[in-house]
């Protein structure tokens, strides 16, 4: 097992390397970061050249990639523009823990991500819990009543939920629970931000502000998850060992939760393993609509300004998380299904 | 399709004899005919197909009634009017008729859905087929690449690529209409970010099919590799490709909506269902018709395509033959 894990980690390294090359090549052509600096008066002429030199944007792409990867403190640069390299670089590169500095805010990328990450994890984590609880309940319920009217209704509902663009769902929810509830004099949900600035960041404020975004994020995912759970539950429930358990006289609830669910949860673990790392990325669309100050918003804001260190930071963080969670998923498999052995 | 149907039917002889009892009545039915029968009996799929036909009718007949110039015509004196007889879906912030715009937006959204699917099918099948057929180093390089692209969250990749290509393609004249270059960009970008799943399926099928006798026979006859890949193996793995392609249209329409909603997709004045929603949430309260109708059309289209795709899967899945 240990050898398997070590091999997987070793395999992940070239994978992450390829990802970083693909992303970096795309980043370099996303637009001109210098044009977005300086507000209404973008730097021109000599200013522009000087700025490009200072930010290292005058270097060829492959050099910029190398600097991003391993830093540039081993090399002298010409910062004055007289053609003579005079000062050493200051960057240490992502391999040595330096995620770079934002071109726009001049703040370290790690600091910017660190500031947004808790907000995103709060929103996405809550949504993930809601998703798992509801989809388990719905999936198991409709599996136990296969082809009943309720099952058909749930199936149709799942298809509709699955086909709905998140932003449209968000708009509908806002229209019903914020706009119309307000009109009808009912307690209505807020639609913008994490808390009311007048009240401050209290627990109840955040929960209240989280309701609609969490609902938005959950509906489509519950639709997809509950389908998988229903399918795998159906497969397991008709197997011999469940019949054996029944004929032994075990209580139905015990059979369901201990015997059936453990085997039926394998596909669910795959799904969660694929989705958990994406929690870090936040939800671009949902965060934008509800003005939630998370990673998705950070990404969108900096895409517009072609701020590649921030974008690379976010995307590499997520890619690393994806790879780590794939390995973790495989390890969880061996616990859930002892028949699986890795060599 | 017609050029590919030949070898598929030939290789199908063995499959029909395996399930000989299916075709005892009414002579031999090809697997495609059997699949068609199962598809027609699939209730959800038929409902989906009917909704889809109605939607296509809506955008085709609608284009005969309203001209594109009318859909792009601004009239600020009647901005943000609610639904009425004159404007059944209301008007937008610059006084354009929302109904006419959903019709022309439908053209764009549907053609993006289909074209992006074609791009992703071509890329996915090519990469999957080459990796699976040749194996070895080519396979591991292509699959590492596939895995790398697969590991980047798709919406993020979509946004980055949309930004990468934006503004590089000029406006194109086609069928007497001018398409903003952004439409082409979106087609390419969605196609290039959605081929990975198909590539994996195709590769797996090629891996097992290339060991079969009919491939060996073709090789012995000196058929070139390219011909074996395209005309001998491909027809035998069409079923999963058709299903994935159908569902891919729905996914592409959704992707277009997301990217355009974020303002990085199709650029106005060309309407698409996605960009009609961009900015409309400012009018969440005052003009709900702005976002309700385009969104509803997206939901109906995606839903009906998903129903059809589900029906196709049930109809084409060889395992369901035994039922």
């Amino acid at each position: 097992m240990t050898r398997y894990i070590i091999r997987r980690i070793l395999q992940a390294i070239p994978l992450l390397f390829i990802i970083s090359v693909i992303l970096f090549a795309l980043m370099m052509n996303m637009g001109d970061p210098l044009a977005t600096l300086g507000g209404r008066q973008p730097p021109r002429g000599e200013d522009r050249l000087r700025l490009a030199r200072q930010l290292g944007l005058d270097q060829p792409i492959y050099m910029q990639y190398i600097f991003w990867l391993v830093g540039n403190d081993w090399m002298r640069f010409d910062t004055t523009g007289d053609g003579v390299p005079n000062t050493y670089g200051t960057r240490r590169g992502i391999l040595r823990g330096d995620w770079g500095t934002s071109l726009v805010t001049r703040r370290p990328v790690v600091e910017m991500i660190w500031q947004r990450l808790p907000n995103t994890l709060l929103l996405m984590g809550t949504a993930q819990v809601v998703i798992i609880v509801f989809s388990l309940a719905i999936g198991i319920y409709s599996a136990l009543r296969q082809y009943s009217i309720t099952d058909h209704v749930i199936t149709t509902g799942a298809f509709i939920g699955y086909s709905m663009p998140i932003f449209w769902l968000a708009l509908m929810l806002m229209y019903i629970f914020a706009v119309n509830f307000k009109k009808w004099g009912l307690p209505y949900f807020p639609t913008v931000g994490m808390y009311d600035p007048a009240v401050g960041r209290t627990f109840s404020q955040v929960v209240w502000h989280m309701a609609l975004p969490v609902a938005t994020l959950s509906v489509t995912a519950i639709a997809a998850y509950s389908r998988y759970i229903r399918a795998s539950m159906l497969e397991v429930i008709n197997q011999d060992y469940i019949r054996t358990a029944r004929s032994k006289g075990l209580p139905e609830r015990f059979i369901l939760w201990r015997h059936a669910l453990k085997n039926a949860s394998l596909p669910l673990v795959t799904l969660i393993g694929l989705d958990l790392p994406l929690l870090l990325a936040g939800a671009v669309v949902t965060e934008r609509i509800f003005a939630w100050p998370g990673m998705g918003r950070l990404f969108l804001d900096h895409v517009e300004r072609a701020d590649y260190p921030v974008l690379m930071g976010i995307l590499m963080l997520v890619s690393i998380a994806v790879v780590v969670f794939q390995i973790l998923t495989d390890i969880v498999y061996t616990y859930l299904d002892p028949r699986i052995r890795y060599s | 399709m017609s050029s590919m149907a030949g070898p598929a039917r030939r290789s199908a002889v063995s499959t029909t004899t395996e399930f000989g009892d299916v075709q005892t009545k009414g002579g031999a039915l090809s697997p495609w005919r059997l699949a068609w029968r199962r598809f027609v009996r699939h209730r959800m799929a038929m409902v989906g197909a009917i909704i889809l036909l109605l939607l296509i009718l809506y955008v085709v007949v609608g284009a005969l009634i309203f001209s594109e110039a009318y859909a792009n015509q601004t009239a600020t004196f009647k901005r943000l009017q609610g639904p009425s007889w004159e404007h059944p879906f209301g008007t937008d912030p610059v006084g354009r008729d929302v109904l006419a715009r959903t019709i022309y937006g439908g053209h764009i959204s549907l053609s993006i859905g289909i074209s992006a699917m074609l791009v992703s099918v071509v890329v996915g099948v090519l990469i999957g087929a080459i990796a699976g057929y040749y194996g070895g180093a080519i396979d591991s390089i292509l699959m590492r690449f596939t895995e790398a692209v697969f590991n980047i969250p798709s919406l993020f990749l979509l946004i980055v690529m949309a930004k990468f290509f934006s503004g590089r393609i000029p406006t194109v004249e086609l069928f007497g209409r001018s398409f903003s270059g952004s439409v082409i960009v979106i087609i390419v970008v969605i196609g290039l970010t959605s081929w990975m799943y198909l590539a994996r399926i195709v590769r797996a099928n090629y891996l097992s099919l290339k060991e079969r006798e009919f491939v060996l026979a073709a090789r012995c006859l000196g058929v070139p590799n390219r011909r074996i890949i395209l005309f001998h193996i491909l027809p035998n793995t069409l079923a999963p490709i058709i299903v994935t392609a159908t569902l891919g249209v729905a996914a592409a329409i959704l992707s277009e909506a997301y990217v355009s909603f974020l303002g990085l997709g199709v650029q106005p004045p060309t309407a698409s269902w996605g960009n009609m929603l961009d900015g409309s949430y400012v009018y969440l309260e005052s003009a709900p018709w702005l976002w309700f109708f385009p969104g509803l059309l997206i939901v109906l289209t995606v839903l009906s395509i998903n129903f059809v795709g589900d029906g196709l899967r049930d109809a084409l899945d060889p395992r369901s033959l035994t039922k």
Side-chain angles (χ1 to χ4, degrees), chain B residues 1-13 32 231-232 235-236 238:
Chain B
M1 261 302 263
S2 58
S3 66
M4 294 171 181
R9 212 166 279 148
R10 227 179 296 140
S11 66
V13 176
W32 294 110
F231 298 110
H232 293 248
N236 289 294
L238 269 186

Side-chain angles (χ1 to χ4, degrees), chain B residues 77-132:
Chain B
F77 60 90
K78 48 180 182 183
R79 64 192 294 266
L80 291 176
Q81 284 179 357
S84 62
W85 279 112
E86 201 192 341
H87 301 290
F89 290 180
T91 58
D92 71 1
V94 285
R96 294 177 294 206
D97 183 47
V98 174
L99 173 64
R101 283 183 76 70
T102 57
I103 289 166
Y104 284 93
H107 289 189
I108 299 295
S109 288
L110 291 175
S111 19
I112 287 178
I114 292 167
S115 329
M117 173 274 285
L118 288 177
V119 173
S120 98
V121 165
V122 169
V123 177
V125 168
L126 265 184
I127 291 190
I130 292 173

Side-chain angles (χ1 to χ4, degrees), chain B residues 270-282:
Chain B
T270 306
S272 84
W273 289 338
N275 77 10
M276 290 180 72
L277 286 152
D278 177 26
S280 68
Y281 66 92
V282 180

Side-chain angles (χ1 to χ4, degrees), chain A residues 11 15 18-19 22-23 25-27 29-31 152 155-156 159-160 162-168 170-172 174-175 179 182-183 191 278 281-282 284-285 288-289 295-296 299-300 303-306 311 314-315 318-319 322-323 326, chain B residues 43-44 141 143-145 147-153 155-157 159-161 163-166 168 254 257-258 261-264 273-274 277-281 284-285 288 291-296 298-299 302-304 306-307 310 323:
Chain A
Q11 280 172 347
L15 186 67
I18 301 173
I19 292 177
I22 296 174
L23 286 174
L26 288 171
M27 296 289 158
N29 293 287
M30 267 180 46
H152 282 302
T155 304
T156 317
F159 260 103
I160 295 173
Y162 184 70
S163 305
M164 207 177 290
I166 279 197
F167 52 83
W168 196 63
L171 293 172
M172 293 287 279
M174 283 161 102
Y175 191 63
V179 175
K182 193 175 180 180
K183 225 180 269 172
T191 57
L278 301 185
V284 176
V285 174
R288 160 140 178 201
I289 294 180
M295 297 275 281
F299 182 82
L300 266 189
V303 157
E304 273 151 33
R305 311 181 72 170
L311 303 181
I314 295 175
L315 289 174
V318 176
S319 302
V322 169
V323 172
Q326 276 171 356
Chain B
R43 211 188 309 150
M44 299 267 249
I141 291 171
M143 281 302 113
R144 280 294 92 76
F145 179 67
E147 206 181 331
V149 184
F150 214 53
N151 273 7
I152 308 170
L155 188 57
F156 286 73
L157 190 59
I159 292 170
V160 169
M161 285 187 72
K163 193 93 166 91
F164 178 85
F165 284 109
S166 68
R168 295 192 185 196
L254 271 184
Y258 281 121
F261 175 74
L262 294 172
L264 292 163
W273 289 338
L277 286 152
D278 177 26
S280 68
Y281 66 92
L284 174 75
E285 193 168 349
W291 49 265
F292 181 76
F293 293 108
L296 184 68
I298 296 175
V299 174
V302 174
L303 182 64
S304 55
N306 280 341
F307 274 154
D310 201 48
K323 274 183 198 162

Side-chain angles (χ1 to χ4, degrees), chain A residues 73-107:
Chain A
D73 51 0
W74 42 272
M75 197 175 144
R76 274 186 218 245
F77 289 92
D78 164 30
T79 47
T80 46
D82 55 4
V84 185
N86 45 15
T87 13
Y88 283 101
T90 51
R91 294 165 58 185
R92 289 171 45 241
I94 196 160
L95 288 184
R96 286 188 284 157
D98 176 10
W99 290 62
T101 315
S102 163
L103 298 178
V104 178
T105 62
R106 303 305 297 153
R107 284 170 54 207

